[in-house]
Amino acid sequence: MRLTSSRAVLAFLLLLLLHCWHSGLAHKSALTVVENTDGGQAVGGDEEEEATVDEDKDEGDLEVVQPTEDWHTLRPGQAVPAGSHVRLNLQTGQREVRLGEEQLKYWTQEHSERGEVKPSFSPDELKRAMKKIKEDLNSDSVASKYRPIEELKRDMAQLELLVETDVQIMRRLLEQLNSSNSTTEQRLSVLLELEYLVHQVDNAQTLCSMGGLQVILQGLNSSDFRLQESSAFVLGSALSSNPVVQVKAMESGALQTLLTILATAQPLRVKKKVLFAVAALLRHFPYAQRHFLSHGGLQVLSELFREDASGVLRTRVVTMLYDMISEKELISQTGLDPVLDASHEERVRQYSKVLLQAELLEKGWCSLVPQLLESAEHDYREKALRALLAMAPVCLEQYRLDSSLLGSLLSLRDQYQESVLSEMILGEENGYFAEIVELIDALQVKIK
């Protein structure tokens, strides 16, 4: 039916409202409020008028309608739970009810299929559910799915036996290393595992207490170059930043063994690892440095320097000498708080007995180190420049007389100055080549 004017529509709505009002009076109640099972009030209402409460009707006589997600007609005398959505159907004049927004949020698929909503469980239902749970727990089917706790404990105890600590591993590795039945390949594998373990300070010290240091030194004396290389690698790793192991190594005669290997014909890879071990033994250990000098260590290194044509060993030797010079200069600096560093005076006394600079001058190192500048490697040149600056206090006169050194410095500065300009174009104002130029300038200033 289509009305052609707004007045006709308004008249129809007024007639319909009057009809609903009379119907409500006939039934004495348009809306009923009851106590909800959740403790709140059950409220019904439509979209256009306030809900009214029928106080004359006893709640026990009310028929409470359980809404669903679809609209259903609400008959007179029926009540709805709190949160339900009630509307007035303008076409039929009947009130309709469905679940409210909050109720729809908790509407499950199971309830939707059944077309019903159960707001709670009755006490009888809860009792039956608890009885069912107890029966399931006591059934044989559940027990068959799980292992007894005693059996689990036995399995866990067996697993713990398979977990080895680092101490147990090192003890087992040393036994394999000492075994006459072990092949060279097996010993090499053992040394590789030990090198990994001794990076930890405690493990390296434990290895010494087990007698492992002597086993490693025996490997250095092996006729197999591979065992020598691997043994030197393990020794150097154990000595690194570990004063306890450094002392044990000196007491075991490790320094003499290492210098002997360097002084004899050995493959390059063996000497590289032996130099690593020597550097680790001497670092921050003035007692070892003094014995190194007294046992002809600088002479051994100078021969090694002259024989090395590749520059790999030369760089390692020069770096080690530079570190030794820098250590002594650093420890001799004043201004250290004696309260914070109570052993400072003792270290100064020990380093005072290490006459490294005089030995460098005597063994000809003032003319040896400049030869490293002839290398094409930037890293080799950088380390040579740092060593030359550190040796300047005793070598300055020889520097001034060394025309080859002076020419090399001029040539290198021009070369690196061009590289600096390239760095600046790329936005690197303080790049690597600029640092090399600064070293060259500092050395030229000292020589002048």
Side-chain angles (χ1 to χ4, degrees), residues 190-199 230 233-234 237-238 276:
V190 167
L191 290 170
L192 182 62
E193 291 189 57
L194 284 176
E195 193 278 329
Y196 172 79
L197 290 170
V198 297
H199 278 282
S230 297
F233 194 23
V234 175
S237 299
F276 164 64

Side-chain angles (χ1 to χ4, degrees), residues 63 92 116 143 150 154 175 187 202 210 219-220 237 243 267 313 331 333 335 346 394:
E63 178 187 358
T92 63
E116 61 179 6
E150 296 301 327
R154 288 195 300 269
E175 290 176 356
R187 288 190 173 93
D202 293 341
M210 292 179 177
L220 288 173
S237 299
L313 297 181
I331 203 66
Q333 290 178 357
E346 175 60 23
V394 296

Side-chain angles (χ1 to χ4, degrees), residues 2-69:
R2 183 176 180 182
L3 298 180
T4 58
S5 69
S6 60
R7 290 184 178 180
V9 174
L10 181 59
F12 174 76
L13 291 176
L14 288 175
L15 289 174
L16 186 58
L17 288 174
L18 287 173
H19 172 74
C20 294
W21 180 69
H22 285 293
S23 298
L25 289 178
H27 295 297
K28 298 183 182 180
S29 174
L31 181 65
T32 305
V33 181
V34 299
E35 285 295 322
N36 195 7
T37 55
D38 295 332
Q41 283 188 324
V43 182
D46 57 50
E47 299 173 349
E48 300 184 34
E49 59 183 30
E50 293 287 337
T52 60
V53 181
D54 184 2
E55 297 179 354
D56 298 331
K57 185 176 282 293
D58 187 4
E59 291 182 8
D61 298 333
L62 295 175
E63 178 187 358
V64 180
V65 177
Q66 299 295 344
T68 66
E69 60 181 342

